[in-house]
Amino acid sequence: MNDHDFHGSRILIVEDEESLAVGLEFNLNEEGYQVSIAPDGRQAIDKFDKEPFDLVILDIMLPYLNGYEVAEHMRQTDPQIPILMLTARTGIKDRIKGLETGADDYIAKPFHLDELLLRVKGMLRRKAWYKSTANENPTLVIGNYTVNFNNLLCVSSRNEFRLTPHEAMLLKYMIEHKDTVVSRQELLENVWQIDKPVETRTVDIFMARLRKYFEINPKSPQIFKSVRSAGYLFSTEH
């Protein structure tokens, strides 16, 4: 699948800074996307509930409802929608909270347009890859849970929870590379489509969450193992 296949993809920009929103709209239209703008959290949810979108670009600081609240609503409505969150450059906690709330990726303001366009393409590509692989193996048992890769639900006899798309993509990649040491850089390039070594902490945050979900003792992982100085190893052999 090439990038031309994503032309016509519908993107919702949620941004209260009008000049930035209009600039993004123009440049995304130039790339062949169909774009809508919501200037605040309420209008974002209203548009999202009424129209189909393929990707959302979401600012954190918004009138009425903030980006975290908007992301949570969108996740409940459409578990697989890719969400790219815009954060303040200094907001490390904001970035982590954004990822935990359901954002798939983040980009810090001020950002280069080319980088944002690459992130958008990468997220649409991942969405297409995930959809095709999920259809091949829709369910899998990991630990005490049955994971449904279509609706992202993980169900056990005692509990159930829903993965975010990026958690599911990371899990899917690790499963497909079972019993093979996978480096953080490989995960960034293939799951996040990022080639900046400085971003490796993102991988660790997501891996910690998979351990919290599926490991009996997350501090002594038996499924998602760390290999010192090398990366991570997915194994179902304890």
Side-chain angles (χ1 to χ4, degrees), residues 2 17 31 130 162 172 174 184 201 228:
N2 58 52
E17 188 181 330
E31 293 291 311
Y130 179 81
R162 196 184 297 273
K172 202 100 178 76
M174 295 302 294
R184 291 174 177 82
R201 187 180 176 195
R228 188 179 294 276

Side-chain angles (χ1 to χ4, degrees), residues 137-224:
N137 295 293
T139 62
L140 192 74
V141 175
I142 302 176
N144 296 322
Y145 287 90
T146 298
V147 181
N148 185 315
F149 284 102
N150 284 316
N151 61 19
L152 310 186
L153 272 177
C154 303
V155 180
S156 74
S157 59
R158 297 182 177 180
N159 187 29
E160 73 172 49
F161 61 90
R162 196 184 297 273
L163 296 170
T164 69
H166 235 112
E167 289 169 345
M169 289 175 191
L170 175 59
L171 178 57
K172 202 100 178 76
Y173 193 88
M174 295 302 294
I175 291 167
E176 291 174 358
H177 296 79
K178 180 184 175 184
D179 298 324
T180 302
V181 177
V182 179
S183 71
R184 291 174 177 82
Q185 193 62 32
E186 180 182 342
L187 290 170
L188 286 171
E189 291 174 1
N190 290 285
V191 179
W192 278 267
Q193 309 235 332
I194 298 172
D195 57 5
K196 296 180 180 177
V198 72
E199 301 281 2
T200 54
R201 187 180 176 195
T202 299
V203 176
D204 296 336
I205 292 169
F206 273 77
M207 196 62 71
R209 278 157 52 186
L210 292 184
R211 286 172 170 168
K212 184 178 73 173
Y213 297 149
F214 298 110
E215 301 278 4
I216 294 173
N217 180 3
K219 293 182 179 180
S220 180
Q222 301 300 309
I223 301 171
F224 302 95

Side-chain angles (χ1 to χ4, degrees), residues 13-25 37-41 57-63 86-88 109-111:
I13 298 172
V14 188
E15 171 60 63
D16 64 329
E17 188 181 330
E18 185 178 1
S19 59
L20 175 57
V22 171
L24 285 175
E25 179 186 32
I37 296 174
D40 62 59
I57 298 174
L58 176 63
D59 193 15
I60 291 177
M61 302 299 292
L62 295 166
L86 305 180
T87 73
K109 293 180 177 181
F111 51 79

Side-chain angles (χ1 to χ4, degrees), residues 38-137:
D40 62 59
R42 286 180 188 167
Q43 289 189 51
I45 286 176
D46 187 57
K47 279 180 177 286
F48 190 81
D49 288 348
K50 291 178 179 177
E51 304 173 40
F53 291 98
D54 298 296
L55 183 141
V56 178
I57 298 174
L58 176 63
D59 193 15
I60 291 177
M61 302 299 292
L62 295 166
Y64 303 120
L65 298 170
N66 63 40
Y68 306 128
E69 294 169 308
V70 173
E72 285 181 350
H73 175 87
M74 290 177 172
R75 271 289 160 259
Q76 291 172 0
T77 306
D78 182 356
Q80 294 193 30
I81 186 75
I83 299 174
L84 176 61
M85 193 165 269
L86 305 180
T87 73
R89 181 175 293 280
T90 55
I92 301 298
K93 290 182 179 179
D94 286 344
R95 300 180 197 189
I96 293 172
K97 184 175 179 181
L99 294 173
E100 290 176 341
T101 311
D104 298 293
D105 205 349
Y106 59 79
I107 189 167
K109 293 180 177 181
F111 51 79
H112 293 290
L113 177 64
D114 288 347
E115 182 181 0
L116 181 133
L117 294 176
L118 283 172
R119 294 285 182 96
V120 166
K121 286 180 182 177
M123 292 174 79
L124 290 171
R125 230 182 272 129
R126 289 195 299 271
K127 182 183 179 184
W129 162 76
Y130 179 81
K131 190 173 183 179
S132 65
T133 58
N135 289 337
E136 290 169 12
N137 295 293

